[in-house]
Amino acid sequence: MLLAIDIGNTNVHTGIFVGDVLQFARSFRCEFDGVFQANFIKFLNSILPARLKAVVLSSVNPETETLIVECVERCFHMKPCCIGKDMPVPIPVVTDHPEKVGSDRLANAVAAFERTKGWAIIVDAGTAITIDVIDDKGAFLGGTIAPGVALSSKALHQYTAFLPDIFIHKPKNIIGKNTEEAISSGIYWGTVGMVENILSMLCDEINCKPAILATGGDATMLQQEIPFITEVIPELTLEGIMITYKIHSLPNKQLSPF
């Protein structure tokens, strides 16, 4: 049994794999009020240590990562492996600074190529929206990073005097009749338009029609508005963590350098 942990900026996603099959998934909000730690430890204590072979994590949030590692060591008396630090990704990373690419983006790439075995674009719509390209050899080529829906709303609120921080939903009309409607319309349709345009330009740049996979909290919203998104895979990052561990566990494995 493998415990995969995806530590993001806003949430911690966990998945328990038995073999290649995801048996259970649960998410926690990253909050340092004691409740998060207590709930996470309670979750860990529900796992039988004797069945647990390894804990592998991907992290883009060092503060939360430190807390998670402490909880895992306390409950299981084992040190979790961190993708990118303890465990290189098993694909080429063709960027200027491979060591600076977020491990969540690389885990997504590993899982996407395992599914498609060809050109793919991954849209991860969370706190940030990353759109990354994988070639037909499984190499991570890079991509784009933009603010996500909730982050855009928070930024408007934080850096203006009167605009509220609101929950963004699909507006009934493009023309907002009040401040809240105008913010929802601007951020919702602005995000959809941005992602759709970037996807179109990326397809032109690589000169092919790749599989386009989406994951993250706002993935379903984007798929509803952008029909050429092939599929929404909520647990794509956890799949990538599992596959990376599995490849490292194989005898005579052939790994590309990080």
Side-chain angles (χ1 to χ4, degrees):
M1 187 169 68
L2 170 71
L3 172 60
I5 305 175
D6 171 29
I7 304 172
N9 290 295
T10 305
N11 296 293
V12 175
H13 304 289
T14 64
I16 296 175
F17 289 86
V18 176
D20 297 345
V21 180
L22 180 64
Q23 298 286 350
F24 178 81
R26 183 176 175 184
S27 296
F28 302 84
R29 190 168 181 82
C30 299
E31 295 175 338
F32 293 90
D33 56 2
V35 175
F36 165 73
Q37 185 174 5
N39 286 338
F40 193 77
I41 289 177
K42 184 178 179 181
F43 162 70
L44 294 180
N45 285 333
S46 70
I47 301 171
L48 294 175
R51 296 190 61 201
L52 189 63
K53 188 173 183 179
V55 179
V56 185
L57 61 85
S58 162
S59 174
V60 296
N61 186 332
E63 187 176 9
T64 304
E65 178 187 343
T66 298
L67 179 59
I68 293 295
V69 170
E70 290 175 354
C71 292
V72 169
E73 290 178 340
R74 182 191 310 177
C75 293
F76 300 135
H77 305 290
M78 71 166 64
K79 181 177 175 60
C81 295
C82 185
I83 292 179
K85 295 178 183 178
D86 310 310
M87 187 177 290
V89 291
I91 57 172
V93 183
V94 190
T95 63
D96 292 341
H97 302 286
E99 74 282 356
K100 293 184 179 180
V101 179
S103 59
D104 56 341
R105 297 169 68 190
L106 298 178
N108 285 341
V110 170
F113 188 70
E114 180 70 14
R115 283 174 170 266
T116 65
K117 300 300 184 183
W119 283 91
I121 296 177
I122 305 117
V123 181
D124 191 339
T127 305
I129 297 174
T130 60
I131 307 175
D132 295 314
V133 180
I134 315 303
D135 72 10
D136 56 353
K137 303 293 192 300
F140 178 92
L141 303 185
T144 69
I145 302 175
V149 169
L151 185 59
S152 295
S153 179
K154 290 182 184 300
L156 277 181
H157 173 63
Q158 185 173 351
Y159 292 104
T160 61
F162 296 111
L163 297 182
D165 180 11
I166 65 169
F167 175 78
I168 304 301
H169 60 276
K170 183 176 181 177
K172 295 180 180 179
N173 303 294
I174 304 297
I175 301 173
K177 295 297 186 180
N178 54 59
T179 300
E180 288 77 10
E181 288 181 359
I183 292 172
S184 264
S185 183
I187 291 178
Y188 186 94
W189 291 117
T191 301
V192 168
M194 172 192 70
V195 172
E196 187 169 22
N197 195 42
I198 289 174
L199 288 174
S200 178
M201 290 191 296
L202 287 174
C203 290
D204 288 343
E205 188 166 307
I206 63 179
N207 194 29
C208 73
K209 293 183 178 180
I212 300 176
L213 310 180
T215 190
D218 291 319
T220 300
M221 177 202 87
L222 292 174
Q223 187 191 41
Q224 290 172 349
E225 307 296 347
I226 306 173
F228 54 88
I229 291 178
T230 311
E231 186 178 3
V232 171
I233 307 168
E235 312 303 344
L236 188 69
T237 313
L238 294 176
E239 283 187 20
I241 294 171
M242 179 273 294
I243 294 165
T244 298
Y245 172 77
K246 178 181 176 181
I247 291 173
H248 274 271
S249 300
L250 294 174
N252 303 317
K253 56 186 178 293
Q254 295 295 321
L255 296 176
S256 299
F258 182 79

